[in-house]
Amino acid sequence: MHSTGNDRGEPRGSQASRSSAPPKILPIETPAISLDELKRLTSNFGTKALVGEGSYGRVFSATLSTGESAAVNKLDLDNTQDPILIFLCFR
């Protein structure tokens, strides 16, 4: 009989998850964009740029000055208990 895991029935590669080294944290580069610029990029958060809505607010599509597409989450602070939340922009 051919086994694809180790002798304890664990899948191959499970040894890597037992490493004592902490996971590598990759840097995330996010551009600083002013509220005025976000309004311009999303047509003042208009319906044409609206792509979805979630429990924290609406999500809008935008094209950055670099030509990259971005999703902008305009948070609705009336629907959340966390006052630290801010605009998030995902590329």
Side-chain angles (χ1 to χ4, degrees), residues 1-65:
M1 182 166 95
H2 180 70
S3 174
T4 59
N6 60 28
D7 58 340
R8 289 181 286 186
E10 295 171 342
R12 242 184 243 172
S14 65
Q15 297 296 336
S17 64
R18 294 183 182 186
S19 171
S20 62
K24 184 177 181 180
I25 299 174
L26 300 175
I28 299 174
E29 294 181 26
T30 55
I33 303 173
S34 70
L35 179 56
D36 287 339
E37 179 71 0
L38 286 173
K39 286 180 179 179
R40 187 185 69 74
L41 293 173
T42 61
S43 299
N44 200 25
F45 300 102
T47 57
K48 287 185 179 182
L50 182 65
V51 293
E53 189 167 351
S55 58
Y56 287 109
R58 294 178 173 179
V59 179
F60 298 86
S61 174
T63 302
L64 304 178
S65 60

